[in-house]
Amino acid sequence: MIVNKSEIYIGRAVLVVVLAMTLLPLISMFSAALQPANENPTGLKWPTDPQWNNFLTAFETGHVWQLMGSSLFIVIFVIPISLLFATLAGYALGSLRIRGGRFLFVFLILGLTIPFEALIIPLYYQIEAIGVLNTQWAIILPLIGLYMPFGIVWMRAHFIGVPSELSEAARVDGATTMQEFLRVQLPLARPAMSALAILLFLWTWNQFLLPVVLVADPLKRTVAGALTFFQGQYSSSIPLLNAGALIIIIPTIIVFVIFQRQFIQALLQGAVKG
């Protein structure tokens, strides 16, 4: 593709604007978090005497360690189970071409159009009926189900792009369906699975509505869902509230920085196939 210089400059200008729009809120929060706890910061300005202890105070008083443990417990169950079912279902729809697969695919696409907010009331009564309301399972079970449409469609898009000659060669060599899946398809699906795992982690860690509605104890919610708890603790101290919010988002930034290569690789792979 031939790109002239004006297009290059426009592209760079757009990237700079997007980067500024992304970083400015974080910089503003960071500067506000370093202000004295008894002051309300106005605008973006660097404090003359940065209060680094605000982060320690927010961490200890806000029970961040317990909140992160609760989030980790939820993530440990949600991501592996969602990945397992999404990968198996995506393989069945994309590679095995099972009977009725087109109908199921349309059904899943319809599932993608339903917002979480529309399901929250029925979910509340179902979770209450099975007896796990106000426990972390009230978050884990709905999230696994709600992630299924996207996860299956994502993995189907990968499997449907794998050349059928690979499967046929494996079958000629005597491989069963399970052997072909484990030894041929699964290694090729690692970039797509890695990207899906990153997305599921970000969505679960940042999940706010379900934990607030389904779990009364803030210490059993996700970290993002416990923001209301933070607000109650620090409603009179904007610097401490900003410090707590910054501590909450650090794990998501670390995960994305570590796995950004796999995430971009999977997105590019999907773009080439599309």
Side-chain angles (χ1 to χ4, degrees):
M1 183 174 62
I2 300 174
V3 180
N4 58 44
K5 287 187 177 180
S6 62
E7 291 175 327
I8 293 175
Y9 292 143
I10 292 172
R12 288 177 179 174
V14 171
L15 286 176
V16 169
V17 172
V18 172
L19 185 64
M21 292 172 63
T22 305
L23 291 181
L24 272 177
L26 291 176
I27 296 173
S28 176
M29 288 177 64
F30 188 64
S31 68
L34 294 177
Q35 304 289 339
N38 56 354
E39 293 183 7
N40 286 335
T42 55
L44 179 60
K45 65 176 182 179
W46 187 256
T48 54
D49 182 21
Q51 302 294 313
W52 297 100
N53 285 336
N54 285 348
F55 288 96
L56 183 60
T57 304
F59 190 89
E60 291 178 347
T61 314
H63 303 284
V64 173
W65 193 248
Q66 290 174 266
L67 294 174
M68 287 190 175
S70 176
S71 280
L72 194 60
F73 178 82
I74 294 168
V75 164
I76 285 175
F77 282 96
V78 169
I79 294 181
I81 296 174
S82 300
L83 266 185
L84 174 66
F85 286 110
T87 304
L88 291 173
Y91 172 65
L93 290 177
S95 185
L96 297 181
R97 312 291 173 89
I98 59 172
R99 182 176 296 179
R102 287 181 180 275
F103 171 77
L104 290 174
F105 179 66
V106 173
F107 192 70
L108 291 169
I109 293 295
L110 290 175
L112 287 174
T113 65
I114 302 175
F116 278 23
E117 292 80 2
L119 302 172
I120 195 70
I121 300 301
L123 272 176
Y124 180 88
Y125 288 108
Q126 287 181 351
I127 293 298
E128 186 180 37
I130 62 177
V132 294
L133 190 65
N134 295 322
T135 69
Q136 287 148 326
W137 292 103
I139 305 171
I140 294 171
L141 297 177
L143 283 183
I144 292 173
L146 292 168
Y147 289 157
M148 276 303 100
F150 178 83
I152 295 172
V153 170
W154 178 278
M155 293 309 301
R156 175 189 174 276
H158 163 77
F159 285 114
I160 205 168
V162 176
S164 59
E165 289 80 5
L166 292 176
S167 299
E168 293 169 0
R171 298 298 174 86
V172 169
D173 289 339
T176 62
T177 301
M178 182 57 70
Q179 289 171 332
E180 184 247 336
F181 172 72
L182 293 176
R183 297 177 184 178
V184 178
Q185 300 285 354
L186 209 53
L188 295 174
R190 282 177 184 169
M193 293 175 66
S194 300
L196 180 59
I198 294 170
L199 288 173
L200 295 179
F201 174 83
L202 297 178
W203 293 341
T204 304
W205 195 269
N206 296 325
Q207 181 56 232
F208 176 78
L209 183 60
L210 282 180
V212 169
V213 175
L214 300 176
V215 179
D217 185 356
L219 297 181
K220 291 182 180 179
R221 298 173 181 165
T222 60
V223 177
L227 275 175
T228 53
F229 176 65
F230 263 88
Q231 190 176 8
Q233 290 280 319
Y234 305 128
S235 58
S236 61
S237 177
I238 301 300
L240 289 178
L241 188 60
N242 279 279
L246 284 173
I247 292 173
I248 286 174
I249 64 176
I250 286 175
T252 59
I253 295 175
I254 292 175
V255 167
F256 184 77
V257 169
I258 293 175
F259 297 104
Q260 60 172 322
R261 182 170 297 178
Q262 289 87 343
F263 186 70
I264 294 171
Q265 183 181 357
L267 291 181
L268 291 176
Q269 190 180 38
V272 171
K273 287 173 184 174

